[in-house]
Amino acid sequence: MEFDQEKYLTLLAEKYPTTQSICREIINLSAILNLPKGTEHFMSDLHGEYEAFFHILNNCSGVIREKVDMLFEDTLSSAEREVICTLIYYPREKLELMKKDMINIREWYSEILSELIEIAKALSSKYTRSKVRKAMPEEFAYVIDELLHVQKDEDDNQVIYHKKILETIIELDNADEFIVALSALIKRLAVNHLHIVGDIFDRGACADKILDLLMDYHSLDIEWGNHDILWMGAAAGSKACIANVIRNNLKYNNTQILENSYGISLRQLTLFAEKLYPGIDPMAAAVKEISVMMFKLEGQVIQRHPEYEMDDRRLLHQIDWENYTITINGRQYKLNETSFPTIDRNDVYRLSKEEEAIMDELCMEFLNSDRLNRHIRFLYKKGSMYKTCNGNLLYHGCIPLDEEGNFEGICIGGQMYKGRAYLNYADKTSRRAYFSGRKQEDLDFMWYLWCGRRSPLCGRNIKSFERCYIDDQSVWHEESDPYYKFYQTEKTCNMILREFGLYTSMSHIINGHTPVRTGEGELPVRANGKLMVIDGGFCRSYHETTGLAGYTLIYNSHGIRIKAHQPFENVYAALRENKDIESNSELVETESERIMVKRTDDGKKIMEDIDWLKKLLEAYRNGTIKQGRA
């Protein structure tokens, strides 16, 4: 359909009815183009670790501490600067502790308010006054705006004015609320936009609290991870996904997120499991039973979809029920389990009547959980399979490749999907599964994205059956997609970047999913700086393997930095002892010239807007479109 330029200009004229209104907007937009770009903050693989995530969100990956040190290194001690940082991270909690031991509280209020204003002033310098004003808590916006723009004059009138405002705030016993408001503004100005590169759910206990926090965050996007898509599939009604979600949370002893946070009862499952496996712990019995149900349901999905090419993962019918052994790749293995009371040996993938009833009830509970579905709709609203932003390509898992390093994918409905087209298809199908009728083929594809052999979110050949029933760990090895071999090379990374329309030498891939094993000498920066893996292991169960508690990435107007974080002790230690997460910063790329808004995606959009405004201005001046009234 041909674009109607005149119609668009006529619509634009409704918003800008005079030449003066156009000139004013062009001046404003041109000024924004010449401000430094805002700071982008990248985090990945949160896995329900709420306290560590909340702390890194509060300290902005150490940016707050850096700013405090820069401003006050020569005037305040290290201990005094640590108190300021902790106060910014947890203002209400820290104030309660400090006021118990404070002798001259009014003097301290005066000092700390002045220091917080200096920090806010430094961080606001890269934004327009209008944007900073919008970021302020509404009840204090006018006062903060005045304080941030105090100018020293000949008679110090402005400085006296500034001092009087602070004195009044203290006299009215409103200092605590003002400190809370300033702390919120500082954290908001420190990070312009947050990217979550997948896996909010599973392992840790508090994914729901993380999502509550993200739903209130001022600007963010999410690139779905395999654990996110699993919960999305469960909320859409995929029984195979539901069984996996329940098994994962039983294994990691995280049933509270199901039962307490989302109101999904496991009572019927555990009562049935106790009858099937008497004499063992009810939770252990539930794991046994949900595992059997999961392998049955997965077998049904694989049987329905030969295009998944996963028939070798259907293993129940390969069991020798006389000897409880199984042959895999020509080698026989003894099973560590001999009790399978719900399996019909003539139809091993059929659920029993009791299992059908349990699964139907669980499915209804997932579909009808209000809080879960609020979170899932938020994941759809803010999330996608991948994102390109300011020259960088963000995705959680991988771009499937073949053994030669070329794009690989999946053939569905007679059409082969590879590279960008594959991720676009996965994104579209994921949305259709939840929002459009919950067709079985779409629900099955959600399960495939969770653990399929060539899933861009999984990236390995899952061996859950072997890990569950075979003690010989030699059969546990999960082969990775060839992507994880080729992504070490700059050539492959450039091929992937071009596939997604990124051609500049300054473009990078930002990847999550696979923990960086720092203890084994792995580095997060690969392919000569073209790719960065930022999963350093937020999850506590990974800390021994990775030697760290996570990587994050900061991209500001000066360049890109990887931040490596040590384990977070707890909020109590942060409040009592001002303990922060120890973070080391590694420069990945430093810009020779500071990056201004004009070089960002937002800048390109602003320049397009300016071009259209100039066309409207010309139309007014040559009489093509009549001016209205301001």
Side-chain angles (χ1 to χ4, degrees), residues 118-254:
E118 284 304 306
I119 298 165
K121 191 181 293 186
L123 287 167
S124 67
S125 62
K126 64 168 66 177
Y127 303 110
T128 64
R129 187 165 179 173
S130 171
K131 183 164 184 173
V132 175
R133 183 70 181 264
K134 289 174 184 174
M136 294 174 188
E138 189 175 343
E139 62 272 25
F140 289 112
Y142 175 78
V143 175
I144 294 174
D145 189 50
E146 289 291 311
L147 292 171
L148 292 184
H149 296 93
V150 166
Q151 299 294 327
K152 191 172 178 64
D153 58 16
E154 186 178 347
D155 299 317
D156 279 345
N157 292 324
Q158 286 278 303
V159 175
I160 294 167
Y161 172 57
H162 167 274
K163 188 177 179 181
K164 287 296 181 184
I165 291 175
L166 295 184
E167 286 176 359
T168 304
I169 290 169
I170 295 166
E171 286 170 8
L172 293 172
D173 291 329
N174 206 209
D176 285 7
E177 291 304 315
F178 198 63
I179 286 169
V180 171
L182 278 172
S183 298
L185 177 64
I186 287 166
K187 287 180 281 196
R188 181 158 178 174
L189 295 176
V191 172
N192 186 53
H193 189 84
L194 175 65
H195 305 278
I196 303 294
V197 193
D199 276 0
I200 296 168
F201 281 101
D202 288 337
R203 297 198 175 95
C206 299
D208 60 310
K209 293 174 69 175
I210 291 175
L211 281 160
D212 284 340
L213 200 63
L214 292 177
M215 288 174 79
D216 288 331
Y217 201 77
H218 60 275
S219 180
L220 83 158
D221 56 69
I222 299 166
E223 290 66 55
W224 302 323
N226 54 320
H227 286 271
D228 305 320
I229 212 78
L230 178 64
W231 279 79
M232 291 157 70
S238 163
K239 292 181 178 179
C241 288
I242 289 169
N244 273 277
V245 164
I246 292 169
R247 184 173 183 264
N248 285 346
N249 284 276
L250 283 167
K251 276 181 61 183
Y252 285 97
N253 197 27
N254 285 338

Side-chain angles (χ1 to χ4, degrees), residues 267-290:
R267 177 177 170 78
Q268 193 175 343
L269 171 66
T270 48
L271 288 175
F272 181 59
E274 281 185 276
K275 291 179 183 178
L276 293 175
Y277 305 100
I280 68 171
D281 177 78
M283 290 297 106
V287 172
K288 281 178 177 281
E289 173 52 16
I290 198 64

Side-chain angles (χ1 to χ4, degrees), residues 305-431:
H305 297 278
E307 70 273 18
Y308 292 173
E309 298 181 2
M310 292 179 65
D311 199 56
D312 60 318
R313 306 309 312 140
R314 294 173 71 243
L315 293 170
L316 287 179
H317 68 287
Q318 303 284 6
I319 294 174
D320 179 342
W321 298 106
E322 299 300 321
N323 301 307
Y324 291 100
T325 61
I326 189 168
T327 300
I328 300 174
N329 294 329
R331 184 177 170 186
Q332 191 177 76
Y333 298 91
K334 189 76 176 174
L335 301 184
N336 58 24
E337 178 64 66
T338 58
S339 178
F340 295 91
T342 66
I343 287 184
D344 179 349
R345 298 181 185 182
N346 296 314
D347 190 359
V348 294
Y349 297 106
R350 181 178 60 81
L351 295 181
S352 69
K353 286 184 179 180
E354 294 87 350
E355 289 172 329
E356 283 279 9
I358 290 168
M359 188 49 63
D360 286 344
E361 181 181 305
L362 286 169
C363 190
M364 289 305 298
E365 294 204 25
F366 272 86
L367 290 174
N368 293 318
S369 169
D370 287 340
R371 187 161 184 246
L372 173 61
N373 281 280
R374 279 200 306 274
H375 287 163
I376 296 302
R377 286 192 294 271
F378 174 74
L379 285 176
Y380 276 109
K381 180 180 178 181
K382 294 293 184 180
S384 56
M385 288 292 295
Y386 69 93
K387 184 177 181 64
T388 58
C389 182
N390 295 330
N392 296 315
L393 173 61
L394 288 58
Y395 52 80
H396 177 74
C398 68
I399 308 299
L401 303 176
D402 64 19
E403 293 296 339
E404 304 300 319
N406 302 309
F407 290 121
E408 182 61 285
I410 189 169
C411 185
I412 296 179
Q415 183 170 348
M416 191 71 187
Y417 295 95
K418 299 180 180 181
R420 186 176 189 175
Y422 184 12
L423 268 66
N424 286 340
Y425 173 82
D427 193 293
K428 180 180 178 180
T429 305
S430 299
R431 296 180 193 281

